[in-house]
Amino acid sequence: MMFLGMILFGIGASSMWTVLNVLLGQWFGNSEEAAKKLSTTYGLASAWVRFGSFSAFIVLPFVANRANLSVALCVPFVVSLTATACAIVFKILDLKYGWTVVNQAQKLDESAYMSEMEEVSSSHVQESLSSPPSPPVVPQELRSSIDSQKSIDLQSSADLQVSTDALTQQKNKQNNEEEKAGDGMMHNKTQQPMYIQLWTAVKNFPVSFWLISGLIAVFISDLYTTTAFMTKITFESWGYSPVKAAKATSLVCMVNFITAPAVGWVTGKTKFRVKFAILGTVCLFSIHLVFATTHKVPAAVLASLLGFTQSIMDTALFPAIALVCNENVHNEAYTLNSFMYNILLFAAPTVVGELRDAEGTWTPVHAFFLVISGSGIIVAIILKFMDMKKG
C-alpha cells in the first residue's frame, strides 16, 4: 500500500508541477520583459514548495511523537484535500475570467488597430473627395489625367474600406468562436490527436531547449537524490546522530525557501541565466567533492549551499524554457522536460542504492555524484557558447 501511495504521489506531484510551469509560461509569455517577472515568480513558487517540505520536516515528527504515525499521515491527507479545493476554485475562476481577460486584451489591441485603419481610410476618402476651392485653368489633357487619377483614388479607398470591413467581421467571428469554446487559458484550439501535437512540437524544438532540459534533468536528479541520502551519509560516514543529521538536511529546504525569491529577482534583473546555471553546476560539483574528501566542513554548511544552489538553478533554468520555445508549444515543452528529468530522478536513487549495497561504502556513490555534476558543468558551458553565438 505504501508503494502504491508513492506511485500516486509521484503522478500527482509531477503533473501539478508541469501544469504550474505551463500556466506560468503562458501567463507571462516568452518576451524578455516577461522573463524578468517569470524568474521572480518561479523563485516564489519554489520557495512555497520548499516551505511545505520544511514544514513537513518539523510538523510530521512532532505529531507522530505526540500521537502516532496514523495521525501524522492524516496531515498530508488534509493538505492534499486543500490543494484539490484550490485547484477547483482556480478552475472556476479561470472559466469565468481567464480566457475572457486574454480575449479582452486581444480585442483592445485589435480595436485600436481597426480604429487606426478606419481613420486612415476616412481621411483618405475625404482627401480624395475634397475639391480645391478655386480650380486652376489647366490644359484638357492634364485635366483628363487628373480626373483619371481621382477615379483610381476613389476606387482604392473603396477597396480599402471593404477590406477593413471584411477584416473586422473575420476578427469578430474568430473571437465569438473562441468565447464559445471556453475552458480558460488551458483551452486547446487544435483538434489534432495529442501524439501528433507532441511529435510536431518535438521536431521543431531548438537545440537550446534540449540543452536546458538536459541540464534540468541532471540537476534535479543530482540534487534530490543527494538530499534524500544526505541524512544517511552524514549519519554513517560523519558520525552524526539521526536527529542532528535530519536537522542538517532540513536546511536544504529552509535556505531554498529564504533565498529563491531574491535569487529569482536578481536573475530576471541581470539576465545572467546561463552564467548562473554554470555557477550552480560548479557549486553542486564542489559540494560533492567536499563530501567525498573531507568531513571538516559542517554538513549544515553544505546543506545550506545545496539549498542556495537549488534557488539558482530553479530560477535560471525553468523560465528559460518559456524563452526559447514559442508560447503555443509551452505545454509540450514542459511535459517533455518533466518526462526527461523524472526518468533520471527514478534512475539516480536506484543506482545510488545499488552502489551502496554492492560496495558497502559511500565512496562509489560520491564518484557517481561527481560524474553527474561534472556532466552538468559541460552542458552548461556548451549552452553558454551557444548563447554567445546565437543569443
Side-chain angles (χ1 to χ4, degrees):
M1 290 300 295
M2 184 178 293
F3 181 72
L4 177 60
M6 289 180 178
I7 293 177
L8 294 176
F9 170 78
I11 294 174
S14 298
S15 301
M16 289 181 64
W17 185 246
T18 302
V19 170
L20 176 63
N21 290 331
V22 174
L23 288 175
L24 291 177
Q26 290 180 348
W27 183 271
F28 289 100
N30 59 350
S31 64
E32 186 60 45
E33 185 64 28
K36 297 179 181 179
K37 302 177 182 178
L38 189 58
S39 296
T40 305
T41 306
Y42 268 100
L44 291 171
S46 177
W48 284 114
V49 170
R50 280 309 196 175
F51 175 74
S53 300
F54 180 71
S55 300
F57 273 108
I58 298 176
V59 174
L60 295 184
F62 175 80
V63 175
N65 289 332
R66 289 297 181 92
N68 53 59
L69 185 59
S70 298
V71 176
L73 290 176
C74 290
V75 175
F77 176 72
V78 173
V79 172
S80 300
L81 291 179
T82 306
T84 303
C86 292
I88 293 174
V89 172
F90 173 79
K91 178 63 177 179
I92 295 173
L93 294 176
D94 183 56
L95 285 172
K96 186 174 182 180
Y97 299 110
W99 186 254
T100 304
V101 171
V102 175
N103 271 344
Q104 288 297 334
Q106 293 175 350
K107 289 178 181 178
L108 288 175
D109 294 340
E110 293 167 0
S111 176
Y113 170 75
M114 296 307 300
S115 298
E116 183 178 354
M117 290 293 295
E118 290 174 359
E119 290 178 3
V120 172
S121 175
S122 176
S123 175
H124 188 65
V125 172
Q126 290 177 1
E127 290 178 0
S128 300
L129 293 176
S130 62
S131 57
S134 56
V137 179
V138 294
Q140 182 65 31
E141 294 180 357
L142 182 57
R143 184 179 300 175
S144 300
S145 175
I146 293 174
D147 293 340
S148 176
Q149 184 63 40
K150 285 184 177 181
S151 300
I152 294 175
D153 290 343
L154 287 172
Q155 183 64 34
S156 300
S157 300
D159 292 342
L160 179 60
Q161 185 65 35
V162 171
S163 299
T164 303
D165 293 340
L167 181 59
T168 303
Q169 294 176 0
Q170 182 180 358
K171 292 295 183 181
N172 291 335
K173 181 179 179 181
Q174 180 181 354
N175 290 333
N176 291 333
E177 291 176 353
E178 290 176 348
E179 288 176 354
K180 290 179 181 179
D183 200 25
M185 297 188 308
M186 294 168 283
H187 170 59
N188 187 4
K189 298 179 182 179
T190 64
Q191 299 300 327
Q192 293 180 332
M194 184 179 296
Y195 68 91
I196 295 180
Q197 296 180 42
L198 182 59
W199 174 245
T200 303
V202 167
K203 291 191 299 182
N204 297 324
F205 282 154
V207 178
S208 55
F209 164 79
W210 297 106
L211 290 174
I212 294 171
S213 296
L215 194 55
I216 290 176
V218 168
F219 156 71
I220 287 185
S221 61
D222 189 326
L223 185 139
Y224 279 81
T225 307
T226 302
T227 305
F229 284 92
M230 179 178 287
T231 300
K232 192 171 181 61
I233 292 174
T234 53
F235 170 67
E236 293 185 356
S237 299
W238 292 36
Y240 280 27
S241 66
V243 175
K244 184 178 180 180
K247 287 182 178 179
T249 304
S250 67
L251 289 175
V252 177
C253 303
M254 186 177 71
V255 173
N256 182 216
F257 166 66
I258 295 173
T259 60
V263 173
W265 182 83
V266 173
T267 303
K269 198 73 174 177
T270 61
K271 306 178 185 178
F272 293 159
R273 298 180 186 84
V274 182
K275 293 180 180 179
F276 284 158
I278 295 176
L279 174 63
T281 54
V282 171
C283 288
L284 203 57
F285 183 85
S286 302
I287 292 170
H288 290 305
L289 190 62
V290 171
F291 256 119
T293 57
T294 181
H295 298 168
K296 294 182 179 181
V297 180
V301 175
L302 297 178
S304 300
L305 185 58
L306 198 61
F308 180 71
T309 302
Q310 182 172 4
S311 298
I312 294 175
M313 303 299 278
D314 281 349
T315 57
L317 293 178
F318 281 102
I321 294 180
L323 284 178
V324 300
C325 296
N326 294 327
E327 292 183 45
N328 58 338
V329 293
H330 280 176
N331 185 37
E332 290 81 2
Y334 281 107
T335 300
L336 184 59
N337 171 254
S338 176
F339 175 75
M340 291 174 62
Y341 70 66
N342 273 293
I343 290 179
L344 284 184
L345 194 56
F346 170 78
T350 305
V351 173
V352 168
E354 291 294 332
L355 289 174
R356 174 64 179 84
D357 293 341
E359 301 296 330
T361 177
W362 291 101
T363 301
V365 173
H366 292 309
F368 173 73
F369 281 133
L370 287 172
V371 170
I372 293 181
S373 55
S375 64
I377 295 177
I378 296 174
V379 175
I381 292 175
I382 295 174
L383 186 62
K384 176 59 180 177
F385 278 113
M386 286 193 61
D387 186 55
M388 293 173 60
K389 185 178 180 179
K390 299 183 178 181

